[in-house]
Amino acid sequence: MFGCEHGCAGFWWIGPIFLLLLIIGCIFIMRGCSCMPGRHSPDGKTHRFSDNSAMEILDKRYALGEIDRKEYEEMKNKVTEDGKKGS
């Protein structure tokens, strides 16, 4: 009744091609994701935090005026204390 009794062209091949394109697209997206640890961005930099990243962020915030001298010193002491404990 609802089949291809009357010579339908048969579009059965669209489903497998769509599935194949979906799988290939997912692979390309996962390989190109620079947010994965150790992955490189197009500019060649690795997206991992460096050991001094907390100090770099703190210095940058102070330089931009987001925090004042007192806050900077307090946070700097905290960061250096935590670094010594972790070593």
Side-chain angles (χ1 to χ4, degrees):
M1 180 179 253
F2 296 104
C4 291
E5 298 94 12
H6 303 289
C8 65
F11 293 103
W12 61 268
W13 51 271
I14 292 176
I17 289 178
F18 177 74
L19 184 61
L20 182 64
L21 291 174
L22 183 66
I23 292 170
I24 290 171
C26 288
I27 291 170
F28 276 111
I29 289 171
M30 289 181 355
R31 288 193 66 200
C33 183
S34 63
C35 58
M36 297 174 121
R39 296 289 182 173
H40 296 281
S41 65
D43 61 358
K45 295 180 180 177
T46 302
H47 291 275
R48 291 186 185 176
F49 288 110
S50 66
D51 294 336
N52 297 326
S53 64
M55 280 304 301
E56 291 170 4
I57 293 169
L58 187 59
D59 290 341
K60 191 177 291 186
R61 288 187 64 200
Y62 180 64
L64 292 172
E66 293 178 3
I67 56 176
D68 62 11
R69 180 74 179 179
K70 182 181 177 188
E71 288 175 309
Y72 175 78
E73 292 297 331
E74 290 173 0
M75 291 181 185
K76 181 179 174 184
N77 290 335
K78 179 71 173 155
V79 168
T80 55
E81 286 175 11
D82 289 345
K84 289 178 185 176
K85 288 179 186 177
S87 297

